[in-house]
Structures are given as C-alpha cells and as structure tokens.
Amino acid sequence: MKQEIYLIEGMHCAACSSAVERVTRKLPGVLRSDVNLTTNKMSIEYDESKLTARQIMDRVEKAGFRALPFAKENRQTQPEENDPRKILRHERNGLLAALALSAVLLYVSMGSMFGAPLPALFRMDTHPVNYVAAQMLLSIAIIFIGRRYYISGFKALRHLHPNMDSLVALGSSAAFLYSLSTFFLLSDHPELVRGLYFESSAIVVTLVSLGKHMEADSKQKAAGAIKKLLELTPDTAVVLQPDGTQHEVATKTLRVGDSVLVKPGSKVPLDGIVTKGRSGVDESMLTGESLPVEKLADSEVIGGSINQNGVLTVRITRTGVDTTLAKIIRIVEDAQGKKAPIAKIADSVAGVFVPIVMALALLSAVLWRIVGMDFAFVIKIFTAVLVIACPCAMGLATPTAIVVGTGLGARNGILIRSGEALEVTHKVRVVLLDKTGTVTEGKPAVTGIYPGSIDRDPLLSIAAAVEAASGHPLADAIVNYAKSKGLSTDLPVSDFESLPGKGVRARLPDDRTVLIGNEKLMQENNVPTGELQAEAARLSAQGETPLLVAVDRSPAGLISVADSIKETSPEAIRRLKALGLRVVLLTGDNQAAAAHIGQQAGADQVIAEVLPEDKAAVVKRLQEEGNTVMMVGDGINDAPALVQADVGCAIGSGSDIALESADIVLMKNDLMDVAKAVRLSRMTIRNIKQNLFWAFFYNTVGIPIAAGVLYPTFRILLSPMIGTLAMSLSSVFVVTNALRLRGKKL
C-alpha cells in the first residue's frame, strides 16, 4: 500500500472536502482517503497495483477540484503561486473595495429610512428609476469583485457536488434577477421600488467575503506550527574546510561528515555531534525544554536549535528527511492529515447538508407562496435560507481543533501521530509504565556508600581508581560519582584483573591488594564481611547491586549501585493519578525490587518479573478487563506493547523502533509529559465538542428562523443580509474557539 498527500485546490467548505473524499474513496484499491479542510490537504492510502497517482488527480479534477502532489521533502521549494499569504493579501484588496462599495450601496438604498440626505437625482420618491439604477450598478460592481463565489458555486452544481458557494450563488442570483426583472416594470408600477433586493444580493457577497477572509486568516494561524518548524532551519551554514578556512554555504548543500561552525546566537543547521567547544543550546522549539541544554564535545545537537553563548564546531550526522526536525514535521503533518473518529459525525452530515438546505429553501418558498405571500416575500425567504446555512462550521469544527492541538503539543515536545491517537488518549484509564529508562534513568548510578574499615572519601577514591580500568557500566557509575564529588580517580594501580561473575582485583602503589565484587569473591579470599553482608542483602532485595570492597582482606566498605528513579517520576505519577488514571509499573525485576521502585514512584500497582516478550500480553489482559490502556516505554522490547496498547507513548530518547511503534512521542524524555499529553487530548476533544455543538445548534436554529417559522406569531422575518452575517460569523467563531487552545498551558 502506498500513502501520499495532495494539496486540493478549489475547496471552500465541508461539502467540498466531503465531495473529494467521496469520489476518491470510490476508486479501486483505495484503503483510506481523508481530506483536511483546514490545511487543504488530502491524505490517501491505496494499492499501487490497482490505481495510479494520475488516476487519483483526474478523478478529483472531474469532481470540480484540482489535486497537486505534496512533496514533503521539498516544502520550501514548492511553487509559491498558491502561497496562502499571497492569496490572502490579494483577497484583502478586493474585500476593501467591496466594503467601500457596500457602504455606498447601503447609504443609497437605506439612507432615506434614517433621514440621510441624497441628491435629488437619486431620491426614491422623485427619481425611482435612477434610485434603483444606482443600486443595480453598485451591486454589479460588488458581484464582479466576488465573482469567484458564482464561478465556484455553479461549477460545483454542474458537477453535482453543491457546496457553500452554490448556496451563496443561488441566493444572491435569485435576489438579483428578481430585482432586475422588477426594475424593468418600474415605469408602469413605481410602487415596486420598495420591494427590490439589489442591496441584499450584493451585501451577501461582501459579508461572505469578509467572513471567509477572517476564517482564512484564522486558519493560517491555526496551521502555523509547521510553518514555524520549517523556519527553524537556517538558510546558510558556515563550513570549516580541512585547511581551517571558513565558507558560507546553503544549508541544503551540507553532507554527512561536514564540519560547521555555529557562532553564538546562530542556529545549528542540521543534526550533528559537537567536536569542539562548549555552550548552552536552546532546544525549546523542538523539545519544549525551556532551559538551555549544556553541550560539549561528543554531545548531540539538533538542527534548528539555537546556540546561546560559546562557539561550537559540529560534525553533521544527518541531513534531509533523516533529521530530527524533518521527522517532527512529518509526524505533525501526518497527525493533521488523519481524521479523528469524532469527525465522522460532521462528515456524514456535511456530505448531504447542501442538497438538503437547497431543498428546504425551495420548499419554504413554495409553501409561503401557497399561503398567499407575494413574490418579494418568497424571494426573501428563499435567499435567507440559502445564505444562513453554514456547512463550513461543521467542516472546520474537528480539523481546526486537531491542527491547533497537535501544534500546541509539538511546541511542548509532545508529538502526536494522528487525530485518532489524540482522541483516544482522552479515554485512557490505565497507564502502563515500563520501569527501565522510563521511570528510572536507564543507567546505573551510585545510590549509597557504607564505610567499613576505611572512611567514605578514601573508600570511594580507591574504588574509583580500580574501577577506572574496568569499563563495565557499574564501574563507570562509581568513577563518574567520584568525579562529581571532586575526588581523584587517577591513583595508579597495577596487576588489574577482571573476575567474571565475581568482580575485580588490583594492586595499589603501596602494594595493598584491593578486591571489589560480590559475596562469593569475598568468601574465596577469606574476607569477613560481617555487618556489610546484611546491608548488602537488604540492598539486593530492593533491586540494587551492592559492591563489597576489601583492602588486604579487610572489609573496607560497600558501594551500592542501581538504576535510580528519575527525579521527576514521583511528581509525574502523582499528576497522572490526579487526572483519575490508574498507574501500573511494568518491569522484569523481581517482586521485592519492583515493589521498592513502585513505592518510591507512587504507582498504584506493580507487575514484576515480566519477560520482554510478555509485555504485550499484559497490555491485552488489561484491555480485556475493559480498560483503555496507554503504554509508555522507550526500548526495543517495548515496541510490541506500544503497538498493542490503545495509545503507545514513546520516550523521545528511546530507540527508533519504539518511536516508530508509538502513537505519541515525548521529545524531552520526561515522564511529566505523559500527563501533559492526556490533558492536551482532553482539552482538544472538549474544544471539538464545543465546536460541533455550536455548528449543529447554529444550523438547527438558524435555518428554521430564516424559513419564517417566527413570522406567523411574532412577525419576525430574517433579512438575507443578517443571515449572511450570522453564517460568516459562525465559521469564524468555530476557528477562533479552536485558536484558544494555542494559549493554553499544559
């Protein structure tokens, strides 16, 4: 199966996106086709043996639209003829002209009602023909400015896919043609001058244009996350040549292995490794980490991050689509292109909404004519019903909130792969946490020092000097801890010997023999461990690794090493529980050790002694109990469980396999972000429900009022102009409500 993304031109409302989905889903071999009205993109998955890209584009074109392949890897070199910002500027000029002409038109047509002065040549009572002719000419000018609604609307009708433009075109045309025909009767029937709707036919177009402009501006803000990410990559980079010279080149020309100079205040061009220098680097736009991250030799840096102070020399390790930034953009784009299940409600209605509205408008007009109302009244009803209906609000309710929500997540280092994952996350009731690397640091560290015959600092210094020759992870933990305490680790030792399964042996400069290892090593060398052995047993039961130290067969002390719990893990789990979630710790450790970590972290339940291949089975068992499960992990052995879970959440520093298997990626490697992801999902779904409620409520109430249900009792009749304003503002309301998410704190 092949997945592709197309830019769709010519869409103006939910009926349009629904039509594109409908015609493409009918093509042979299409597994999935989702159209996002907010981004104007179609994500389609199909069988290449049954369908070609050309056939897809042809089918979309036959439906009255245009499909253009969207090349992700060449976003910044895409043709700019359809740049939304340029289109918006061009439309703004036309809108300003239409608003100015509309103001004049309203003054001419309605000014006399409020006592506004008009030249005698254009007064209704003295020169009715001139009065109406002025309105007609102004209306024609406004309609010409908004001609795209007529072109699009009647074209959609011709293709049997009527959209919102069709409603506007039909309503405005009906009012204009009725007024035009009446205009020719004025000479014989001057009283008809009060029953014309030239201003309604034109003002409708202006108000729709105003609403569409506001909507487009809001949509651009909603889709701004990807634009900001694209802007992170600098256009140029300073390359260091082997002879030491510096050359400024285009970033896109960089290759793996190139050395670049990153000066203070400059952006790191692409992913790489620091080979020289030291500096703080701002990665907040990529990972959500607010504080600069210290970088020195051998540290990894991410393309797009900003160097704060020192000068760094960086060797490029990834380019093009392989960079971290490119992967982030791809994940955000995919999430914005895939629909959430909740969108199906609006989609099912939008597909038939416009034809139903057209039928209701015609039915309302016919019924009012049957009961004896004049043709002017009937035209007003017909036009009002057509222009008040708003399929856009329904179509924008879900995708706009998802675009804003995923963008908010990306800015906080939370990457959500799909709208479905974003929706399902708010239903999660159980969070499974893998222990190693997720709740704990994932690498051994010294957790305690227990002196025996030698004081604490000398004990640590001797042990670090001996272990410096080992290279074992436990040895590295001791050496690093000693260095962090400012102790010397370069004491020369001799006769170093590694004893597999037991420990190490070495000789100090003063000819003393040092043994570091387990109880078995001590017993073989007749070292009386005494009280230290009891302490070692206690630590072992907690999952720690106690290392006994002996100097010349004297029990010098004990150093305990363990994979320590992350500093933020207890608070992260507390926040998850505050959200009403049950937190389960999953580990392969023995029950006693697992229980100790679980107690430290504050987990509700601990499931211990689980083999890597059995993690998915644990997830499945919890699902069978009726739980929606989120699995959080970082290792290769977590991938099956991440896939099995309703929501798989990968810690960002984990393996590529885990990241590819997950629905949510936490770029900061911080468990606190799991609670943030759940809150983000809940806020976004709440926003979607608000939007859907407003869209359905607005149309359910607005259309009957426009049809005249209040007229018999209250003599209330909705003007087409008021209906158009309400329609435009309903779409703006939905998009603006979604934009509120941008300012939320997670």
Side-chain angles (χ1 to χ4, degrees):
M1 302 300 287
K2 186 175 184 179
Q3 294 187 33
E4 288 184 330
I5 294 179
Y6 291 88
L7 287 172
I8 307 297
E9 294 182 355
M11 293 195 304
H12 302 290
C13 69
C16 298
S17 58
S18 180
V20 176
E21 286 182 346
R22 192 163 56 249
V23 298
T24 51
R25 286 172 181 173
K26 290 180 180 179
L27 289 169
V30 172
L31 179 65
R32 176 183 60 82
S33 177
D34 294 325
V35 178
N36 190 314
L37 183 61
T38 304
T39 59
N40 292 322
K41 291 176 186 175
M42 175 179 70
S43 175
I44 188 168
E45 187 174 353
Y46 63 95
D47 187 343
E48 287 184 279
S49 64
K50 297 180 180 179
L51 191 64
T52 65
R54 184 70 263 169
Q55 288 174 310
I56 294 172
M57 290 188 285
D58 288 344
R59 190 68 189 87
V60 172
E61 190 169 340
K62 286 180 182 178
F65 308 93
R66 187 182 177 202
L68 298 172
F70 179 72
K72 291 183 180 180
E73 66 277 11
N74 296 315
R75 293 175 189 84
Q76 293 172 313
T77 59
Q78 298 262 1
E80 296 186 3
E81 59 189 48
N82 297 312
D83 185 347
R85 290 170 296 183
K86 289 186 176 181
I87 294 173
L88 206 60
R89 284 195 297 269
H90 175 74
E91 290 181 350
R92 185 181 294 122
N93 296 331
L95 174 61
L96 291 174
L99 286 170
L101 290 170
S102 296
V104 177
L105 176 58
L106 286 173
Y107 184 85
V108 171
S109 63
M110 307 179 77
S112 59
M113 296 170 56
F114 304 101
L118 269 178
L121 187 63
F122 296 105
R123 288 182 60 178
M124 180 173 58
D125 52 347
T126 59
H127 295 78
V129 175
N130 293 354
Y131 169 75
V132 175
Q135 293 184 49
M136 182 178 69
L137 292 174
L138 287 167
S139 298
I140 290 173
I142 294 170
I143 288 171
F144 178 78
I145 293 172
R147 61 192 179 279
R148 73 179 183 92
Y149 297 107
Y150 300 88
I151 295 171
S152 168
F154 288 120
K155 181 181 178 182
L157 273 176
R158 189 175 73 251
H159 288 93
L160 301 180
H161 298 301
N163 56 19
M164 192 205 76
D165 291 349
S166 303
L167 299 179
V168 173
L170 283 173
S172 176
S173 297
F176 184 86
L177 292 175
Y178 168 76
S179 301
L180 182 64
S181 62
T182 306
F183 171 67
F184 292 109
L185 301 175
L186 277 179
S187 299
D188 297 327
H189 303 280
E191 71 278 3
L192 293 177
V193 73
R194 299 182 182 277
L196 300 181
Y197 294 107
F198 278 125
E199 79 281 359
S200 291
S201 67
I203 301 300
V204 160
V205 175
T206 301
L207 291 175
V208 170
S209 299
L210 177 62
K212 279 291 182 184
H213 185 78
M214 294 170 65
E215 178 187 311
D217 187 52
S218 297
K219 282 168 65 178
Q220 264 195 266
K221 292 176 182 176
I226 290 178
K227 179 176 173 289
K228 289 181 180 178
L229 288 171
L230 286 170
E231 291 173 349
L232 289 179
T233 302
D235 295 327
T236 60
V238 178
V239 175
L240 286 174
Q241 301 295 343
D243 60 2
T245 59
Q246 303 176 14
H247 295 286
E248 188 171 340
V249 301
T251 300
K252 62 184 179 182
T253 64
L254 292 176
R255 298 290 179 267
V256 173
D258 286 348
S259 287
V260 297
L261 192 69
V262 185
K263 299 176 182 179
S266 298
K267 293 178 181 178
V268 178
L270 298 170
D271 294 358
I273 300 289
V274 176
T275 57
K276 184 180 178 182
R278 183 169 188 162
S279 178
V281 175
D282 180 4
E283 298 178 347
S284 59
M285 192 59 198
L286 295 157
T287 66
E289 178 60 65
S290 57
L291 298 176
V293 180
E294 189 73 13
K295 303 291 183 181
L296 57 161
D298 295 328
S299 296
E300 291 188 5
V301 288
I302 304 173
S305 54
I306 303 172
N307 185 21
Q308 295 283 297
N309 33 56
V311 178
L312 296 176
T313 301
V314 176
R315 185 180 76 254
I316 301 300
T317 56
R318 285 190 288 268
T319 62
V321 296
D322 297 323
T323 64
T324 301
L325 180 58
K327 290 178 180 178
I328 291 173
I329 292 172
R330 185 166 64 248
I331 289 173
V332 175
E333 281 182 336
D334 288 345
Q336 295 180 352
K338 295 175 183 175
K339 291 193 173 182
I342 196 172
K344 294 177 182 177
I345 302 171
D347 289 346
S348 59
V349 175
V352 295
F353 183 79
V354 173
I356 289 175
V357 170
M358 292 169 65
L360 288 174
L362 186 60
L363 178 63
S364 301
V366 170
L367 289 176
W368 280 113
R369 186 61 177 164
I370 289 173
V371 299
M373 303 306 292
D374 60 31
F375 205 67
F377 185 94
V378 169
I379 286 294
K380 191 172 186 178
I381 290 289
F382 180 74
T383 304
V385 172
L386 288 176
V387 298
I388 199 173
C390 189
C392 288
M394 289 186 291
L396 293 168
T398 301
T400 307
I402 287 178
V403 166
V404 178
T406 52
L408 175 62
R411 290 198 302 276
N412 285 274
I414 301 168
L415 304 183
I416 300 173
R417 289 189 177 276
S418 67
E420 181 176 3
L422 185 62
E423 179 177 344
V424 174
T425 301
H426 94 284
K427 302 176 183 176
V428 167
R429 290 295 173 264
V430 176
V431 178
L432 266 178
L433 302 176
D434 174 59
K435 180 182 77 72
T436 307
T438 302
V439 176
T440 63
E441 294 289 353
K443 57 184 179 181
V446 173
T447 56
I449 298 176
Y450 306 87
S453 60
I454 297 179
D455 290 339
R456 180 188 178 90
D457 284 355
L459 171 66
L460 181 57
S461 185
I462 290 173
V466 173
E467 294 287 14
S470 171
H472 190 278
L474 297 180
D476 290 341
I478 294 174
V479 173
N480 292 333
Y481 185 74
K483 288 180 178 179
S484 71
K485 296 298 181 182
L487 300 177
S488 173
T489 61
D490 54 4
L491 186 68
V493 297
S494 58
D495 299 334
F496 178 84
E497 184 181 2
S498 178
L499 306 169
K502 301 175 185 177
V504 296
R505 176 190 288 118
R507 190 178 299 277
L508 298 176
D510 58 7
D511 210 34
R512 288 183 296 170
T513 299
V514 178
L515 296 172
I516 304 176
N518 56 23
E519 174 64 16
K520 185 176 182 180
L521 178 63
M522 300 300 142
Q523 288 177 351
E524 288 180 354
N525 289 273
N526 298 318
V527 177
T529 53
E531 294 180 0
L532 290 178
Q533 180 52 35
E535 189 65 32
R538 183 186 67 81
L539 293 168
S540 294
Q542 295 179 177
E544 300 187 25
T545 302
L547 298 175
L548 296 161
V549 182
V551 178
D552 276 348
R553 292 189 175 87
S554 172
L558 183 154
I559 299 174
S560 182
V561 179
D563 180 11
S564 59
I565 190 170
K566 289 180 181 177
E567 186 178 341
T568 59
S569 289
E571 175 61 17
I573 291 174
R574 187 195 67 77
R575 293 187 181 186
L576 287 171
K577 292 165 73 172
L579 291 172
L581 304 175
R582 180 157 65 97
V583 181
V584 179
L585 185 67
L586 192 63
T587 177
D589 288 350
N590 63 65
Q591 188 62 49
H596 177 71
I597 294 293
Q599 184 179 17
Q600 279 187 296
D604 292 305
Q605 181 183 356
V606 175
I607 301 178
E609 300 177 15
V610 180
L611 296 175
E613 59 269 22
D614 293 335
K615 289 183 178 181
V618 173
V619 174
K620 189 174 182 180
R621 187 174 72 246
L622 288 169
Q623 289 171 326
E624 289 172 348
E625 294 173 1
N627 298 300
T628 301
V629 179
M630 172 187 281
M631 172 69 195
V632 185
D634 75 328
I636 292 176
N637 55 27
D638 295 324
L642 291 172
V643 173
Q644 175 64 44
D646 297 285
V647 180
C649 186
I651 295 293
S653 64
S655 72
D656 287 340
I657 293 178
L659 299 186
E660 290 300 322
S661 304
D663 301 300
I664 298 175
V665 179
L666 307 181
M667 294 295 293
K668 274 194 294 187
N669 191 22
D670 189 346
L671 200 59
M672 298 279 278
D673 286 345
V674 178
K676 289 182 179 181
V678 175
R679 280 199 299 272
L680 173 64
S681 173
R682 292 182 179 181
M683 285 192 303
T684 305
I685 296 304
R686 184 166 59 248
N687 190 279
I688 288 173
K689 289 179 178 178
Q690 290 169 351
N691 288 345
L692 287 174
F693 171 79
W694 167 255
F696 283 106
F697 174 79
Y698 163 80
N699 284 292
T700 302
V701 173
I703 293 174
I705 292 176
V709 295
L710 299 180
Y711 186 76
T713 306
F714 303 102
R715 286 295 184 266
I716 294 176
L717 193 63
L718 195 68
S719 163
M721 288 186 289
I722 300 299
T724 305
L725 182 62
M727 179 268 287
S728 298
L729 292 180
S730 68
S731 295
V732 175
F733 174 86
V734 165
V735 179
T736 304
N737 186 49
L739 283 173
R740 290 191 310 113
L741 285 173
R742 296 200 310 171
K744 297 289 185 180
K745 288 187 177 181
L746 299 179

